[in-house]
Each structure stands twice: as structure tokens, then as C-alpha cells.
Amino acid sequence: MSDLKHLEGTVETVLFRNEENGYTVLELNANGILKTVTGELGETDEGEFLSLEGQYITHPRYGTQFQAETCERRLPDTPANIERYLSSDAFKGIGKLLAAKIVKTFGTDTFKIMEEEPEQLIKVPGMTQKKCDEITAQAKQIFALRRVISYFENYGIKSRYAMRAFRIWGTKCQSLTEKNPYLLCNELIGMSFQNAENYAHDLHIPKNAPCRIAAGIIYILKHNADAGHTCIPLETLAQKAISFLEINESLFYEIYHQELEKQTIVEFLKGEREFVYLLEYYIAEEYIADRIAIMRKYAKPYQSFADENLIQETENYTGIQYAEMQKQAIHQAMSEGMLILTGGPGTGKTTTLNGIISCLKKRNLHFCIAAPTGRAAKRVSDLTGYEAKTIHRLLEVRYDAGGLLKFVHNEENPLSCQVLIIDEMSMVDVLLFSSLLRALKLGCKLILVGDSDQLPSVGAGNLLQHLIDSHCMPVITLKEIFRQAQKSCIITNAHKIVNGDMPELLRKDNDFFFFHRQDYESASELVIDLTCHRLPNAYSYSAFKEIQIICPSRIGLLGTVELNKAIQARLNPPDAQKSQVRSSLYEFRTGDKVMQTKNNYDIEWKKDEETGSGIFNGDIGMIVSINRRQGEAVIDFDGRMTVYPINMMEQLELAYAITVHKSQGSEFDVVILPILGKMEKLTYRNLFYTAVTRARKMLILISTPGKVAEMIQSTNKNRRYSCLKYMLEQELDHDPEENS
């Protein structure tokens, strides 16, 4: 830290601010010289005096910038700067004219008056009592917030966490967190356990403090949920907590049992082994098992929908002769309350689904189709000809009083449909599926479509596989590869991969091409050359619309971040005629291909005459224009035109290259798949299979035969801790009809 530079001055202009993380770009007036400053500076406004520590860096386009690492802020102390601050966004309703009158009345004592004697503001010429009360209320909040931010900054806690704590607890947040620093790990505040540990250390909170151990247990469970586990064995939790928190066994169990009593965690006995859940995951899995058991009892009424002539009528109408398993799937879909339809590429899932939909139409049943992501929903819409929504859009989202997202449709306000079809079920996690079941009317038919050999959901659980393995509902698995599909090496190799066999790598006359590369540099050069030159020139494929690079990882020379920057430099380099804007990771330019990285339920879009809201994690679009003066960008997401405020572009990433997880539910004409190096945690069979099956017309694999063999042999990643299969089986064992 000794080589940090010092810079201080007055904020002249705030150019960019991300409200989520406090990342700010501003111009600082340092003794008459304007300096560009970047960093997580929080709610900094024009006219404030900042004292900064950081480094000067040279940006290739914007020149020298000061990258701030620490920031101390002081209120303006000159009349001109006080006036600017009062008329900035810090105070609503005080324009330049009123700010000038206030400063003329009180001069450099303005802030002292506003904080200590706000009733004196009535002396300002033209000030009404109503306006005085409004300013007083604002000033009280602003000064209280500044004190809180200043307090937390003394402990190295960033302003965004201080602001969130203030919104929840107001002026009590300081005293509350001094007693229990780990309150800052609250879901609505979101500070990491490690940062709370640092704060606790500075407050001399002992390592054996109950609040620390309780927070550590929750942290370990959350960390494992992020890795896909809905629960973990008690002995594993104990071992991890004792080691991580540096405590003894008796103290762990003492606090563990206290948390059980508080119901922040739940213990579940699976056979003779105890598993520990965070409460929300236990409620989700228990509800899924209970609700499916209830739905099984409502299967009988559907028998009348599946008479013997229905499939024949559908074949006559569609001109398709269904295979035996497809006929069985259609019959089961019409006669049962629930069905899982699964199978790999080329086995006729889409044809079967369209047959089911035709039968539903013939029986005048009102159905809805949904999928986990926007791209998956668009794909199933294109394949069926019927509108499909994301599950989140189907359930509709709103914020509750606490600021958390809740679904509009639930037990009290169910969906109106008689049949619900969910595609890409492998991507659905237990929390989302639980919410979905809550929104179904009792008696609503449920048809789940997916490929259980693909990656499990990013969220916790291995839902589709456990639904299949528990035999809790009818399952039709399509295995026959149809003659037309057999001509595709993408499809035949995908089936070899999932069966544990080596794909055919040497064939060069089809749609699956293998390039042997052993080093990162030559592999990266090949990816760039294929994307930017060879494929567009030889096949007229568009690098923006038809070619997609898919990577196992974000990091490294063959990760998405570096490849995105390299491809952008070739396809969409800096240009004086193109507007651009910076984020913390990328520079975005007009014409760039981008991906939304988090669900945003509020952003509005327009497509032709249709309007709506919501752009979701995984949606891919193109930047149409950037207007820095107006502070907004126009982005086209498959025809849905949206206007992004500049500060919201932190939610975007370049999308020339995306991860395999982000590609799920999508198909692309051409997929380039570079896989080299160790990456033991990321190169395994179903990830490889998922990536290969994203390609519609051409798959280019850049790797080594040894790496391909290693991936096919690795099948461990699917193993996730969950008790859902056991719960479902227990419900079946207790079903008197099932055992009669």
C-alpha cells in the first residue's frame, strides 16, 4: 500500500454510477485541473470534496485515470461548491435558484444550520413552511446516512453495504452491527462472510462468539448451495465448520442446536444419516414431494382425454407417422396428470411435443408453455409455433415490502391454464420448481420436457434426474435416433459422448470438425481466425448472429473474458464514429454482441406493437446505439428493443464467447468449442455433451484426443447432495393406492 498516490479535490461531474455496486466514474477538480477518477465511490455528488488514495493508470482510449482504492469524503466548504451540492441529485426539489438563496442566507454555515437548526431555513426568502419541512426531512436522512457511511468506511466497509444497512435499520444499524457484525451478511445487504469477519476482528469480537459461529454455519450451507447442493450431511458440515471457524466440536454442536431451535436451519433424517438444510431449500424440496403426491391422486379424470382414435386423428392432421414410443408419450400425456418426456438430440422430442400440443388443441384444453430462460422460451416458441414465456414471466414478479422478489402467481392466485408444459427441465432448480407447483391449480396437467443427460441447473438440486429416478410420475425416454438425424455427426457423436464412447474425430465430410491443438496460444489464434475470417468467408456465416464460441470457463486465454476482448478487437474495434461506454470489465461499443447476466424484471421493451418488461439472465442482444449525453443505450434482444441507462450496463457482458452453463437452452448454427488444459472441475461428460448439443449445423472442437477421452470418462459432477429423491420415494411408499 506504500506506493499508493494521493489525490484530493472537488467533484465536478459524475459521469457514470452503478447503483448496484457503487462503481463510479467522475471528474475531480484538483486545484483547477480536471482528473478522471474511477472506483467504488458510492453516492458521491457534485460539489463534494474527496480525499483519495489509489493509482494512476493509462486507459488505451480515455488516457490517464486515477483508480481510487480508498475514499474519504467531506461536505463542500466554499459557497460555490455548497450551492452546487445542494442543487445536485443529493437533494430532491432544491434547484439552482433555491440553492443560491440558501447559500446567500447562511453562507459557509449552511450545512451546520441544516443539520442542527433546520427550522432556520424558513428565513430564506421565498421559503414556504412546506418546502422547509421537506428539506429538513431530506437533510435529516442525508446527514444520518453520511454518518453511517463514514462510520463503516472507517472499518473498510464499502458504502453500498452501509447504504443497504441504513435502509433496513436506519440509525440503529451502527449499534446493531457492533453487537453482531454478521448481520451484514443478511440477504438484503449481501456483504460476504469474509468482510464481516474483518469488521468483527476490528471490533474485537471473539472467535467463539455465538453470532460468528451461527453465521459461519449459514455461510457454509450457502456456499454449498451455490455449488449445487440443497443440503449437506451433518458430519460434513461439522467437519467443515470446526476447521473453517477454528472451534471445537462441542461448541459447534451447541450453536448448531440453537440454530435448529431458531429454524434458520433444518435437520432431515435420510435413512440413518442426518442432512442439514437452509430453511428455504428444505421447504422447497418438502413441498415438491408433498405436492407431487397430491397431484398423483388427481390423475384419473384425464383418462377421458385419450381415446384410441385421438393419435390416429393427429397423425392424419399432421401427416406424421409417429414411432411407437412417441405414440406412447402422446397417450400418457393425455391420460395422466403428469409426464416427463426426455431424450437426446435426434430422438423426436420436438415432434412428440408438437403431437401432444395437437391433441391438447383437439380436446380444447387451455395450455401454457414455459422455459427457464428467454432464449429457451424463444426456441420452443419457434419449434412449436405457440408462444412460450420464461417461467419467471409466466409467474410474474413483484417486490415485497422488504425489497425481495416474490411471484404474483401462487396458491392464492394460481395460473388459469389446464395444462402446463415446461421445456428444458434440466435447467430448473428446486426453488423455482417449488414456486411453479405453488402456482398450479389442483388438477392442472403437468408435462415436463428435457434431456436428463445435460448439465443440471445452475441453482441447487438435480431436479429432473431425481424426478425420473424416483418414479414419482410416468417417464417416457426416447432413444431411437431417427434416420434423418443419423446423418449428422453432431447428433451421433453426442450420443456416443453420453454413452461414454469416444466421438469420431477424424471425419472431415460432415458437421463435426476436430482441430488438434495442444497450446493455448495457437488454440486462441484458431478460434479468432475461424470466427472472424474463415467461417464467414467460406460459409457466409455471421460472426454476430450465427457463430457462437462456447467455453467451459470464464478465465484464462481460452476463457470467455479474454476471447470476448480479442474477438471484439477484430470485429468491432474502437472507432471515432462509434460511441462506447465502459463497465468494470468491458468496453461496450455500438454494434457489440452482449448478454444480460442477471434477471431484470423492470426494464421495458417494445417489439413491433407489443410491449412488455423483463430481460433475463442469458438473453443475447446487440447494441444498436449509445448516447453518452443522454446516458442511455438502445439494445436489440431478438427484436425486443430496450433502452438501458448507462449505469445498468454493468448487467451486460460481451457475448461473442459464452460459458457452457450460459448456453443451456439455446441452439446456434455454428459452435466453436475450445477445451484445453486441466480444469478438472469444469471438464466432465455432461458439460461436454451439453456444449456439443448446442450446435445446429456445425460443431468445431479444438482440443486433444486425450482431453476428449478424459472428459468423457469424468462423470462425477452430477453428484449433488439432495434428499428430494428420498422424499419422493417416501411419499410413494406411504401412498395406499400405490401399495394396493
Side-chain angles (χ1 to χ4, degrees):
M1 299 291 286
S2 57
D3 59 347
L4 291 180
K5 304 294 188 295
H6 180 78
L7 179 67
E8 58 182 40
T10 303
V11 178
E12 191 77 20
T13 309
V14 176
L15 300 171
F16 169 87
R17 174 158 55 218
N18 184 308
E19 302 296 340
E20 289 288 320
N21 58 23
Y23 179 80
T24 305
V25 181
L26 56 82
E27 288 183 332
L28 194 77
N29 187 333
N31 296 320
I33 301 172
L34 286 182
K35 305 269 189 178
T36 300
V37 176
T38 67
E40 292 187 4
L41 306 175
E43 293 191 354
T44 304
D45 286 289
E46 295 169 9
E48 282 192 274
F49 186 87
L50 303 184
S51 179
L52 307 164
E53 302 287 331
Q55 295 282 3
Y56 284 100
I57 62 170
T58 302
H59 191 279
R61 180 173 174 84
Y62 297 103
T64 303
Q65 299 176 340
F66 189 82
Q67 196 172 62
E69 295 190 19
T70 67
C71 172
E72 292 182 17
R73 51 173 56 82
R74 296 203 300 269
L75 287 170
D77 55 6
T78 66
N81 285 334
I82 294 171
E83 190 175 316
R84 288 184 64 212
Y85 181 68
L86 289 178
S87 60
S88 73
D89 290 340
F91 285 87
K92 309 298 180 189
I94 300 182
K96 291 184 178 180
L97 185 61
L98 183 55
K101 290 180 179 179
I102 293 172
V103 174
K104 186 174 182 180
T105 304
F106 300 112
T108 55
D109 289 333
T110 293
F111 292 127
K112 182 179 179 182
I113 293 294
M114 293 178 75
E115 185 172 9
E116 299 175 5
E117 302 176 83
E119 66 276 3
Q120 298 291 330
L121 289 170
I122 198 68
K123 295 179 180 179
V124 175
M127 179 74 72
T128 65
Q129 188 61 53
K130 182 180 178 182
K131 177 62 73 173
C132 181
D133 292 342
E134 288 175 0
I135 295 172
T136 298
Q138 278 195 77
K140 184 177 180 181
Q141 285 289 103
I142 288 169
F143 289 120
L145 175 58
R146 291 185 67 85
R147 285 192 293 271
V148 166
I149 290 174
S150 178
Y151 164 79
F152 281 115
E153 282 181 343
N154 288 333
Y155 290 96
I157 296 172
K158 292 178 178 177
S159 58
R160 65 175 180 267
Y161 301 124
M163 290 185 284
R164 292 170 190 170
F166 184 79
R167 290 188 192 115
I168 297 171
W169 298 304
T171 54
K172 294 180 182 178
C173 64
Q174 180 177 332
S175 60
L176 287 171
T177 57
E178 283 182 342
K179 292 177 183 176
N180 182 0
Y182 301 94
L183 290 173
L184 294 172
C185 301
N186 175 298
E187 183 180 358
L188 290 172
I189 298 173
M191 197 168 85
S192 71
F193 180 82
Q194 287 80 359
N195 284 343
E197 281 273 76
N198 295 334
Y199 178 36
H201 179 267
D202 291 342
L203 294 173
H204 306 293
I205 302 292
K207 283 193 172 184
N208 63 355
C211 64
R212 175 179 181 266
I213 298 166
I217 290 171
I218 300 298
Y219 167 71
I220 292 167
L221 289 171
K222 284 182 176 178
H223 178 78
N224 280 273
D226 290 342
H229 307 288
T230 62
C231 57
I232 57 174
L234 175 56
E235 69 270 18
T236 303
L237 174 63
Q239 181 183 7
K240 289 178 179 291
I242 290 166
S243 172
F244 177 69
L245 298 171
E246 298 177 341
I247 57 174
N248 60 47
E249 185 176 356
S250 62
L251 186 55
F252 164 77
Y253 279 105
E254 178 187 341
I255 304 304
Y256 169 73
H257 286 109
Q258 289 178 14
E259 292 306 299
L260 286 178
E261 289 178 12
K262 294 177 186 175
Q263 296 187 330
T264 56
I265 58 176
V266 177
E267 185 178 280
F268 179 79
L269 191 63
K270 178 182 176 182
E272 296 183 357
R273 197 179 188 191
E274 296 128 325
F275 286 80
V276 186
Y277 282 86
L278 291 170
L279 181 60
E280 63 176 333
Y281 290 99
Y282 174 75
I283 290 173
E285 291 202 338
E286 183 186 47
Y287 183 83
I288 290 168
D290 290 346
R291 182 60 192 269
I292 286 177
I294 293 170
M295 290 173 72
R296 289 175 62 85
K297 298 176 183 178
Y298 283 81
K300 299 288 185 190
Y302 295 111
Q303 298 288 349
S304 61
F305 292 131
D307 63 67
E308 294 180 1
N309 296 323
L310 182 59
I311 295 176
Q312 182 64 58
E313 291 173 9
T314 303
E315 286 184 326
N316 294 338
Y317 176 74
T318 60
I320 295 172
Q321 183 70 39
Y322 298 112
E324 193 56 40
M325 288 300 291
Q326 291 178 311
K327 289 180 181 179
Q328 190 177 335
I330 296 169
H331 177 81
Q332 292 270 45
M334 298 305 296
S335 61
E336 300 286 348
M338 297 177 286
L339 173 71
I340 294 174
L341 174 63
T342 185
T347 58
K349 273 204 316 289
T350 299
T351 301
T352 307
L353 177 58
N354 281 328
I356 291 169
I357 290 172
S358 294
C359 291
L360 295 174
K361 293 283 287 182
K362 281 182 175 294
R363 290 292 182 261
N364 295 315
L365 292 171
H366 171 43
F367 62 90
C368 290
I369 307 174
T373 66
R375 289 189 70 83
K378 182 180 185 301
R379 179 172 170 270
V380 73
S381 291
D382 293 342
L383 293 172
T384 64
Y386 293 94
E387 182 192 16
K389 297 180 178 180
T390 64
I391 296 173
H392 287 82
R393 189 177 167 206
L394 179 75
L395 298 179
E396 298 180 55
V397 177
R398 68 181 174 201
Y399 292 93
D400 65 12
L404 294 174
L405 288 166
K406 299 293 181 185
F407 290 117
V408 171
H409 291 289
N410 50 34
E411 299 98 327
E412 297 175 358
N413 181 27
L415 296 165
S416 62
C417 58
Q418 296 168 283
V419 183
L420 178 61
I421 300 168
I422 303 295
D423 195 25
E424 296 290 351
M425 265 300 295
S426 62
M427 300 174 68
V428 179
D429 61 53
V430 296
L431 294 181
L432 184 56
F433 191 59
S434 170
S435 296
L436 190 67
L437 291 179
R438 291 178 190 277
L440 297 186
K441 291 186 295 188
L442 209 58
C444 178
K445 186 189 289 289
L446 183 62
I447 299 170
L448 309 177
V449 184
D451 184 347
S452 59
D453 291 316
Q454 287 190 27
L455 287 171
S457 57
V458 174
N462 197 353
L463 177 67
L464 179 58
Q465 193 65 56
H466 289 160
L467 292 174
I468 292 170
D469 292 345
S470 66
H471 307 292
C472 66
M473 63 181 77
V475 178
I476 299 294
T477 303
L478 302 177
K479 295 181 179 179
E480 178 187 354
I481 306 176
F482 286 92
R483 192 182 314 159
Q484 189 65 29
Q486 289 175 2
K487 297 177 182 178
S488 166
C489 279
I490 294 173
I491 291 175
T492 56
N493 279 338
H495 283 272
K496 286 181 179 180
I497 291 166
V498 86
N499 290 326
D501 299 324
M502 277 291 286
E504 192 173 354
L505 300 180
L506 300 180
R507 190 170 173 181
K508 299 292 184 183
D509 63 343
N510 207 279
D511 54 6
F512 189 112
F513 298 94
F514 175 73
F515 287 84
H516 189 165
R517 293 292 186 276
Q518 291 182 300
D519 63 281
Y520 291 103
E521 289 77 13
S522 65
S524 175
E525 289 171 8
L526 178 58
V527 171
I528 296 166
D529 188 37
L530 286 166
T531 304
C532 302
H533 303 294
R534 288 167 66 171
L535 291 173
N537 292 341
Y539 300 95
S540 299
Y541 284 127
S542 165
F544 292 92
K545 295 181 179 180
E546 294 164 313
I547 300 171
Q548 184 61 61
I549 304 165
I550 297 181
C551 311
S553 174
R554 287 172 52 82
I555 62 175
L557 197 60
L558 291 177
T560 58
V561 175
E562 291 302 318
L563 284 175
N564 270 321
K565 291 177 179 178
I567 298 295
Q568 183 196 42
R570 299 284 185 93
L571 293 180
N572 196 23
D575 187 322
Q577 304 303 314
K578 288 182 181 177
S579 297
Q580 67 179 37
V581 65
R582 289 165 288 176
S583 74
S584 54
L585 186 61
Y586 293 113
E587 287 187 18
F588 298 112
R589 304 183 188 112
T590 301
D592 269 331
K593 181 179 179 181
V594 293
M595 173 182 278
Q596 176 75 7
T597 61
K598 62 184 291 187
N599 290 337
N600 187 317
Y601 304 95
D602 301 322
I603 192 162
E604 296 180 349
W605 51 262
K606 184 174 182 180
K607 184 176 183 179
D608 301 323
E609 299 303 314
E610 182 187 2
T611 59
S613 63
I615 298 295
F616 300 106
N617 188 358
D619 285 353
I620 292 177
M622 183 172 288
I623 299 176
V624 176
S625 64
I626 297 172
N627 190 321
R628 289 176 58 85
R629 185 177 297 277
Q630 294 181 5
E632 61 187 30
V634 176
I635 304 174
D636 178 358
F637 290 95
D638 290 320
R640 292 174 296 161
M641 306 301 292
T642 63
V643 178
Y644 271 57
I646 294 295
N647 63 5
M648 239 174 57
M649 292 184 73
E650 284 288 337
Q651 297 180 13
L652 298 172
E653 290 185 356
L654 291 176
Y656 304 103
I658 62 177
T659 63
V660 181
H661 285 88
K662 292 287 188 185
S663 75
Q664 255 188 296
S666 303
E667 279 190 343
F668 308 94
D669 284 349
V670 181
V671 167
I672 301 174
L673 178 59
I675 303 177
L676 283 179
K678 292 185 178 180
M679 296 187 293
E680 287 89 350
K681 294 182 179 179
L682 288 169
T683 48
Y684 45 91
R685 184 188 296 174
N686 62 350
L687 182 140
F688 187 26
Y689 171 77
T690 301
V692 168
T693 54
R694 299 310 91 205
R696 187 184 294 119
K697 296 180 180 178
M698 183 183 294
L699 185 288
I700 298 175
L701 173 62
I702 302 169
S703 188
T704 67
K707 187 64 184 177
V708 172
E710 178 190 328
M711 294 169 69
I712 291 169
Q713 292 161 12
S714 176
T715 59
N716 294 328
K717 190 62 179 181
N718 264 343
R719 295 172 188 167
R720 294 179 167 190
Y721 287 121
S722 166
C723 296
L724 177 60
K725 178 174 175 283
Y726 178 83
M727 292 177 180
L728 290 163
E729 291 170 340
Q730 290 296 104
E731 289 289 349
L732 287 178
D733 289 343
H734 295 142
D735 187 339
E737 292 186 15
E738 197 70 28
N739 296 312
S740 59

